[in-house]
């Protein structure tokens, strides 16, 4: 529970109202009452969800969106304390989904929940938001959530960025439809990346999507899952992923544990095979204090440019004591996507 609170505080700007609210909730938790953690975070999440709906109904959709996002953080915090309790898990999932559904119904361009065929008896579920005021097929950004991640937070975090630039948005995950996640059924499958192709097939078949202007981004930006899923797929106009950096990292770690003869059988540690296979412009977006040092990422991307000229590296730096400003990062990413999809980036004052 302490770890869950620390993770939550790490995403909250220190010294603000949200930070103080988290600490106030934590102080109400009674260590002698095993239900206290779940009850306090769930109650606070429900309160925030109600406040978000009230703001949206009064016309303050952006304020409502911010509160829905924070409510999801609290639902996720509540989930940290009850282990495998199915009833509580379903209540948390229902709350998280409820935030997304409330938002979809409150927007100027109402969104929809769609089902996408994938494996036998295992469809995917996604949220689709059309570009505002579009009178013809519009460019679209597909957000594919990493395996195990839920799509609702990405919907709320990215919807405004897409709408401001006249882009449709589709956000999908691997949990399947409904409240009872079936993700455990597919964990360990070697063909998880085929889900990305199924999502692309669905998007291309929509009459309101311009299938020549489709981009893909992962919910954590630097995704090896997306990079592998879009390799050799020529339908994408742009992609935000790691372009194979994680695969290179794994090969380097493995090579250090092998004998010289075993190492000779491996591809070169810096061989950028994934980047060579991806056919669209690439943006590699990394936090300055992430899993890969900035100087190593810069060197590896420079090597990638030998085989894939259109690769852009963006490293998001943060203040030492502050969290990453995800909104500003997404602004940069969606400006880059808008340029690639329409050639008309949004101009700021």
């Amino acid at each position: 529970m302490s770890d869950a609170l620390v993770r939550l505080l790490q995403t909250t700007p220190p010294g603000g109202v949200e930070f103080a609210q988290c600490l106030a909730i934590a102080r109400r938790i009674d260590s002698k009452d095993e239900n206290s953690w779940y009850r306090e975070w769930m109650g606070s999440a429900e309160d925030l969800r109600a406040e978000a709906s009230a703001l949206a109904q009064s016309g303050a959709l952006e304020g409502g969106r911010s509160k829905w996002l924070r409510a999801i953080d609290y639902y996720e915090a509540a989930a940290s304390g009850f282990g495998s309790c199915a009833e509580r898990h379903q209540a948390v999932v229902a709350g998280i989904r409820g935030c997304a559904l409330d938002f979809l119904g409150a927007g100027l361009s109402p969104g929809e929940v769609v089902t996408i065929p994938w494996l036998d008896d295992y469809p995917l579920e996604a949220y689709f938001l059309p570009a505002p005021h579009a009178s013809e097929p519009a460019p679209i950004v597909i957000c594919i959530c990493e395996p195990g991640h839920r799509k609702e937070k990405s919907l709320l975090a990215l919807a405004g960025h897409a709408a401001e630039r006249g882009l449709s948005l589709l956000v999908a995950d691997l949990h399947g439809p409904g409240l009872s996640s079936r993700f455990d059924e597919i964990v360990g499958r070697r063909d998880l990346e085929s889900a990305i192709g199924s999502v692309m097939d669905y998007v291309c078949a929509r009459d309101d999507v311009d299938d020549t202007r489709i981009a893909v981004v992962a919910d954590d930006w630097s995704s090896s899952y997306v990079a592998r899923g879009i390799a050799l797929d020529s339908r994408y106009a742009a992609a935000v992923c790691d372009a194979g950096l994680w695969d290179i990292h794994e090969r380097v770690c493995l090579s250090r544990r092998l004998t010289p003869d075993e190492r000779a059988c491996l591809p070169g540690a810096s061989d950028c095979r994934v980047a060579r296979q991806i056919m669209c412009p690439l943006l590699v977006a990394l936090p300055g204090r992430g899993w890969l040092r900035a100087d190593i990422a810069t060197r590896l991307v420079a090597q990638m440019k030998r085989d894939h000229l259109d690769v852009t590296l963006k490293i998001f730096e943060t203040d030492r004591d502050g969290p990453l400003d995800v909104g500003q990062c997404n602004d940069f990413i969606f400006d880059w996507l808008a340029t690639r999809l329409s050639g008309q980036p949004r101009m700021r004052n």
Side-chain angles (χ1 to χ4, degrees):
M1 292 180 184
S2 295
D3 288 343
L5 179 60
V6 169
R7 287 195 300 271
L8 183 59
L9 293 176
Q10 285 174 340
T11 64
T12 305
V17 174
E18 292 179 349
F19 194 88
Q21 186 179 42
C22 288
L23 294 180
I25 296 169
R27 291 190 187 101
R28 295 199 300 267
I29 295 168
D30 182 358
S31 60
K32 298 178 182 179
D33 180 0
E34 63 180 10
N35 296 315
S36 178
W37 174 275
Y38 174 80
R39 184 175 62 248
E40 293 296 339
W41 287 111
M42 281 293 287
S44 298
E46 295 290 340
D47 290 344
L48 274 175
R49 181 183 169 190
E51 292 173 16
S53 295
L55 279 172
Q57 290 172 6
S58 69
L61 182 59
E62 181 59 26
R65 186 188 66 83
S66 177
K67 284 188 178 291
W68 275 313
L69 267 171
R70 200 60 183 163
I72 289 177
D73 287 335
Y74 288 2
Y75 282 122
E76 290 177 342
S80 302
F82 57 75
S84 60
C85 176
E87 182 179 353
R88 290 185 175 182
H89 175 77
Q90 287 205 350
V92 166
V93 172
I96 291 173
R97 284 173 57 86
C99 290
L101 295 175
D102 292 346
F103 172 74
L104 287 179
L108 296 177
S109 299
E112 58 181 307
V113 183
V114 301
T115 302
I116 300 172
W118 181 35
L119 305 174
D120 292 341
D121 195 35
Y122 196 108
L124 302 172
E125 185 179 79
Y127 300 127
F128 176 79
L129 274 175
H133 314 300
S135 58
E136 57 187 20
I140 188 172
V141 174
I142 301 171
C143 176
I144 303 288
C145 292
E146 289 287 287
H149 292 192
R150 300 200 67 89
K151 59 188 174 295
E152 287 77 14
K153 194 166 184 177
S154 294
L155 169 72
L156 287 160
L158 302 181
H161 298 285
E164 287 175 10
R165 295 159 179 83
L167 305 173
S168 296
L169 177 70
L170 183 132
V171 184
D173 63 22
L174 299 180
H175 284 278
L179 297 179
S180 299
S181 172
R182 298 167 58 194
F183 180 68
D184 289 345
E185 296 179 21
I186 59 170
V187 172
R189 288 184 64 110
R190 299 191 177 202
D191 59 349
L192 285 184
E193 288 85 359
S194 67
I196 299 175
S198 295
V199 172
M200 184 58 154
D201 292 341
Y202 168 82
V203 167
C204 287
R206 288 189 66 107
D207 293 335
D208 53 359
V209 168
D210 181 347
D211 62 7
T212 67
R213 295 187 291 167
I214 300 175
V216 63
V217 60
D219 59 336
D220 70 349
W221 310 324
S222 53
S223 169
S224 60
Y225 170 64
V226 165
R228 292 190 298 269
I230 68 173
L232 302 178
D233 192 330
S234 61
R235 295 176 291 179
Y236 292 97
V240 181
C241 61
D242 81 342
L245 285 182
W246 179 258
D247 291 342
I248 295 172
H249 177 68
E250 283 190 319
R251 288 204 300 275
V252 170
C253 292
L254 176 61
S255 67
R256 290 172 179 168
R257 291 163 173 77
L258 299 177
T259 66
D261 289 341
E262 291 171 329
R263 197 176 300 131
C265 298
L266 287 178
S270 62
D271 181 17
C272 307
R273 292 177 295 172
V274 174
R276 284 202 303 270
Q277 293 172 330
I278 298 174
M279 304 174 193
C280 64
L282 292 169
L283 172 63
V284 179
L286 298 169
R289 289 183 291 161
W291 61 271
L292 187 63
R293 278 175 24 202
D295 60 324
I296 296 176
T298 301
R299 174 171 53 82
L300 292 176
V301 171
Q303 292 173 355
M304 289 178 183
K305 287 180 177 289
R306 301 171 189 171
D307 300 307
H308 193 305
L309 296 178
D310 200 345
V311 181
T312 301
L313 173 65
K314 175 61 177 179
I315 297 175
F316 297 114
E317 300 292 351
T318 62
D319 295 333
R320 182 173 296 275
D321 297 326
L324 192 66
D325 189 328
V326 176
Q328 287 188 3
C329 298
N330 283 327
D331 259 336
F332 179 93
I333 288 169
F334 272 77
D335 278 346
W336 184 88
L337 289 170
T339 302
R340 297 299 180 176
L341 293 179
S342 66
Q344 298 294 327
R346 180 172 65 92
M347 300 302 293
R348 296 193 182 90
N349 294 329

